[in-house]
Each structure stands twice: as C-alpha cells, then as structure tokens.
Amino acid sequence: MAKAPVLTPQAEDFPRWYQDLINKAELADNGPVRGTMVIRPYGYGLWERMQQEMDARIKDAGAQNAYFPLFIPQSYLTREAEHVEGFAPELAVVTHGGGKELEEPVVVRPTSETIINASFSKWVQSYRDLPLLINQWANVVRWEMRPRVFLRTSEFLWQEGHTAHATYEDARDYAARIHRDVYADFMINVLGIDVVLGRKTARERFAGAINTLTLEGMMGDGKALQLGTSHELGTNFAKAFNTQYLSRDGKQELVWQTSWGVSTRMVGGLIMSHGDDSGLRVPPRLAAVQVVVMAIKGDEAVAKVREVGDRLKAAGLRVQVDDRVDTPFGRRAVDWELKGVPVRVEIGPRDLEAGTAMLARRIPGGKESVAVDALAELLPGVLEEDQALLLRQSRERRESRTSDVTTPAEAAEAASAGGWARIPWADLGPEGEARLAEQAVSVRCLVAEDGSVPDADDAPGTVAIVARSY
C-alpha cells in the first residue's frame, strides 16, 4: 500500500496544499478570533528577515522609522471622503472603553494616512521641513470576510511609509524610487520572485490616491498576487488636514504626498511562488537558517556537527545545528525539507570515518558526498546558485503562462485557464475591465510595451496584465 503524501499535491488541490504546508512547516495557526493568525517562530523568522532587508533599503532611501497610535478618531477618516468610502466595509470601530461609551468612536488602524497627516500638519511649517520621509512597522486591522492565513487576515503586520514633498515631481519621483529601488530590488534579488512592475488602473487605485504603482507576482497556480504598492496621494490628504508649508517665495502651499507598504502577505507569496510537493523552498538570501548541520546518530557525530556548525557560522553563514539524535533522522530530515532550509549537511558514523558529509540541496534537489573541510568554501557558491535558480524558475513560469491576446474574451479565457494575459489597454479600456470583473478577473497592472511603467493610463502602447488573483 502506497504511503500517503505529507502534503496534498499541488496539482490535486492547490489551496489545500497551501494550508497543509503552513500547518506542517509550523509557519502559523489560525487565531481564536476569525480572520486572525498566530505566527509561529519559524514563520516569524521569515518575516523578521524580510523586515531586516526591507528596513535597510527604506533607510537607504532616506526615510526614518517612527510610530503612530493604533486608535484613530473616527472623525479623522471622514475628512477624506474617497478614502473613508474605500475602507468603510473593512473598519473595526471601538465604541466602548473603560466600561463607558466613548464620546467619539475610534477606528482600529486600517492604514495611517489620516492620523499621520494630523501630525504632519503640525510638523511641516516651511520648505526647510521638506521632504519629510517617515516609515512605521506596525499591525493593522481590516475586517476580512474571506480570510486566508498570510494572504487575507483581519489583522496583519506591515510597514507603511508616508512622505510629504514640496512639489508634485518630488513626490512622484520618490514613490517611483520606493517602487523600484526598495520593493522591486528586494522582491527580485532576495525573495527570488520575478515581479512585474506597473501602475494600477483608476478602478484598482488606492482610495484617495492619484496614482498607484504595484508589484505583481505569479504564484504556482498561475494566479496573481499583489506583493506591494506605492501611491502618489497628490494633495488630497493635505487639503483635508491643511498640511501646508511656507515656500521660498513666501507663499502658503499644500504639500504633495506619498504612501507605500508591504505586509506579511509576502510570506504567503513566498510559499506559493517557490513551494513544491515536498514543502517550502526558502531563497538562501532570505533564509533565517541557510544551512542545517544534522547528526545522523552517535555521540561522535553530535560533537562533529557542533564543530562544523561553528566553523560555518564563522564563515558568515546562518546555521542551525540539529543534534537531536533521540529523534529519528528520517523524521527530522522531512521536517527540514518541509521548512525549506536551502542546505542540509548530514553527518553519520561512516562520514566521520571518511572525513565527509552528505550535502542535500533543497532547491534543485539531490545529494552528494563532499569533504567536510571543503564546506566553508563550497557552500556560499552553492547558495548563490540556488538563489539564481529560484528567480529563473519564477521568470520562466510567468513567461510560459502569459498569453498575448486582443479581446476581453480571450483575456478572460487565459486567466480562467490558470495564466496571465497581456492585452493592449486600447483594446480593453474601462468598459472591458468592468466586464472582466464580473467574471472575477482583474487588470493587475498597466505596463508599457517594453515592460517599463507607463506615465499615464492612456500612454501610447500601454498593455494591461489580466489575471485571476488572491
């Protein structure tokens, strides 16, 4: 009788495979309140590495970290009508506190444009105060009707950047810089996901923005996942909160603003982009544990793996030693495979005699015997090879499953078949986009023919990327 697979095969039921992997790899659990999640240590370790990489890039772009309150006066949200209308169905509102009904209800932070602008309006007085570049790492609440762990939860973790500038051009360029130099650089070169950079249509634009830049990744089942956005807010929030500055000419001017964010949704994107029927595959540049050194059995092997672990750590690798010889080796190996650690170094009694170790590579698969003394020099190159392989596989999947079409019907058919479609925006337009939405198919973004981000929705040669999405 065949042994049951550890995970539901992707080809059989992709959503079930996703949930199985989250559970078996010990990434997260459902929380006690519907739509919430408990992020377990291994899953949180992935998020911490994402934070570290992103935070460094955000600071390189000149932004500083701050923190703003979780509770926002309801009146703040009503100041920008389009914004509150866009978020109204998702708001969690507190009406009682300290055993009393509150004089004014407060909203649990869905995003912080309004409360941050209340501070910006006090902090910005003159052109000398600009640009003002602020980021915060926080949790937000958006009441989710159809929750899915990491992808859509009522509470999730993220970073949100908010900036104020003297001119439209400065704000536009900074939003594009975050989009390109922070988000795309991280997602392509660390996450190993070959995202498409584009602009959202007016229908898909962030509530209250004049332009939204997005990064879209193709998941293993051909659906799209929005992995991050950067918004030009124009002067909409500045008008609502009277955020003005005294210009060099001595005139009171409204500031131009941006906001931008990525969230724990990236963990879900990582799973669905790189995972296979054996579990997660973590890109080496991201992995909190790049190498696990495993003792197969015996006290001598335990001593050796600790020695090898110290040597590899000294070489700059992120290493964990697994010397739990009281737990069967096969079970431990399957657990590490599920968690997607890029490399396992396995050492047993025979390896000790030969001065070798078995090198198991999670990303391409396969094992080979190598000299223990060669590991510190060998492994950095192996990890870079595997990082490049994941990115190449991500790109090849997207390119092979994207069809060029000329009609909305063809676009819907390609999306329903588990792929993406490229269609000239002139052939689709807002009316065609609305018809696609009735079939649960959306325009993920607009791109130029050469793959760059178009200056406007109606720029010549603009192409729409159409797909089903998460």
Side-chain angles (χ1 to χ4, degrees):
M1 186 175 181
K3 187 177 180 180
V6 176
L7 303 174
T8 301
Q10 289 185 355
E12 180 180 313
D13 188 335
F14 194 84
R16 172 52 59 189
W17 165 84
Y18 176 79
Q19 194 59 52
D20 282 353
L21 178 49
I22 287 173
N23 293 336
K24 296 289 180 63
E26 299 179 337
L27 300 178
D29 290 330
N30 290 314
V33 175
R34 186 179 182 277
T36 62
M37 62 177 170
V38 176
I39 305 176
R40 299 185 66 174
Y42 190 75
Y44 198 81
L46 294 173
W47 176 241
E48 282 183 313
R49 286 285 303 140
M50 292 178 182
Q51 282 184 299
Q52 291 164 15
E53 291 282 348
M54 291 289 303
D55 199 59
R57 288 166 171 77
I58 289 168
K59 287 172 178 170
D60 283 346
Q64 295 179 298
N65 286 337
Y67 185 79
F68 295 84
L70 176 68
F71 296 124
I72 301 174
Q74 192 173 48
S75 59
Y76 280 25
L77 269 77
T78 61
R79 293 194 196 181
E80 215 292 322
E82 185 179 355
H83 189 66
V84 70
E85 182 180 351
F87 279 99
E90 302 174 342
L91 298 181
V93 182
V94 179
T95 59
H96 289 73
K100 298 179 180 179
E101 184 173 354
L102 301 178
E103 291 184 8
E104 178 183 357
V106 296
V107 174
V108 183
R109 173 175 55 216
T111 181
S112 298
E113 277 78 10
T114 58
I115 196 164
I116 287 177
N117 267 279
S119 291
F120 278 12
S121 65
K122 293 187 293 184
W123 298 349
V124 175
Q125 303 297 325
S126 149
Y127 69 89
R128 297 182 183 88
D129 300 319
L130 300 173
L132 180 57
L133 312 175
I134 297 294
N135 177 65
Q136 77 164 345
W137 292 93
N139 62 337
V140 295
V141 171
R142 298 179 184 176
W143 213 256
E144 183 59 53
M145 296 297 104
R146 295 182 297 277
R148 183 173 294 180
V149 173
F150 289 123
L151 300 178
R152 292 188 178 276
T153 50
S154 295
E155 179 191 8
F156 54 90
L157 307 180
W158 77 346
Q159 62 74 211
E160 52 177 318
H162 299 268
T163 70
H165 304 260
T167 67
Y168 160 75
E169 290 78 13
D170 283 348
R172 176 201 62 196
D173 292 348
Y174 195 78
R177 179 181 180 184
I178 294 294
H179 187 228
R180 179 188 63 247
D181 296 345
V182 177
Y183 292 164
D185 179 68
F186 168 70
M187 292 172 191
I188 293 170
N189 295 314
V190 180
L191 287 188
I193 301 175
D194 194 47
V195 290
V196 170
L197 283 69
R199 62 183 288 141
K200 287 290 190 183
T201 63
R203 180 188 183 94
E204 296 288 331
R205 195 175 294 154
F206 178 71
I210 63 172
N211 183 33
T212 291
L213 304 174
T214 184
L215 303 103
E216 303 286 331
M218 179 184 280
M219 302 296 100
D221 61 350
K223 288 185 180 179
L225 183 69
Q226 177 183 292
L227 287 160
T229 48
S230 182
H231 314 288
E232 298 173 44
L233 302 180
T235 58
N236 290 341
F237 290 90
K239 291 173 183 175
F241 286 84
N242 196 33
T243 310
Q244 300 186 67
Y245 71 98
L246 187 66
S247 72
R248 292 177 185 271
D249 299 330
K251 298 179 181 178
Q252 289 291 327
E253 304 279 357
L254 293 170
V255 298
W256 295 80
Q257 294 182 271
T258 77
S259 69
W260 27 276
V262 295
S263 74
T264 38
R265 171 177 283 202
M266 290 193 297
V267 179
L270 172 72
I271 296 167
M272 295 193 296
S273 290
H274 299 317
D276 61 20
D277 285 348
S278 296
L280 188 59
R281 296 189 301 165
V282 181
R285 292 181 187 171
L286 176 74
V289 179
Q290 295 174 311
V291 182
V292 58
V293 187
M294 302 181 66
I296 296 176
K297 63 180 180 179
D299 293 341
E300 291 184 4
V302 167
K304 188 64 176 179
V305 298
R306 291 172 180 172
E307 175 194 323
V308 172
D310 288 342
R311 196 183 308 169
L312 296 180
K313 288 177 185 176
L317 299 172
R318 296 187 290 276
V319 179
Q320 183 162 331
V321 170
D322 184 348
D323 55 10
R324 301 169 294 159
V325 292
D326 56 342
T327 300
F329 172 76
R331 176 180 172 182
R332 290 184 285 137
V334 169
D335 284 346
W336 289 118
E337 192 166 61
L338 280 166
K339 287 181 166 63
V341 171
V343 170
R344 299 195 309 274
V345 175
E346 303 169 354
I347 299 175
R350 293 180 183 176
D351 301 298
L352 289 171
E353 293 178 6
T356 60
M358 190 61 70
L359 183 66
R361 294 171 66 173
R362 175 68 183 88
I363 292 165
K367 290 186 176 186
E368 62 178 316
S369 181
V370 300
V372 169
D373 291 342
L375 286 169
E377 183 177 354
L378 175 68
L379 286 178
V382 165
L383 293 171
E384 282 301 297
E385 286 177 11
D386 293 353
Q387 178 80 33
L389 176 60
L390 285 177
L391 179 61
R392 186 164 65 250
Q393 290 175 341
S394 173
R395 179 179 299 118
E396 289 171 352
R397 178 176 61 238
R398 177 174 56 79
E399 290 177 347
S400 68
R401 298 176 71 171
T402 299
S403 305
D404 286 300
V405 302
T406 57
T407 69
E410 290 173 338
E413 183 179 355
S416 298
W420 291 9
R422 287 169 44 92
I423 180 172
W425 178 241
D427 292 340
L428 183 65
E431 291 184 3
E433 182 182 18
R435 291 200 300 273
L436 288 177
E438 295 173 358
Q439 304 174 63
V441 176
S442 59
V443 175
R444 304 313 305 157
C445 62
L446 301 174
V447 299
E449 288 180 326
D450 63 1
S452 62
V453 181
D455 294 332
D457 292 8
D458 57 357
T462 296
V463 176
I465 303 297
V466 175
R468 292 189 183 276
S469 66
Y470 283 95

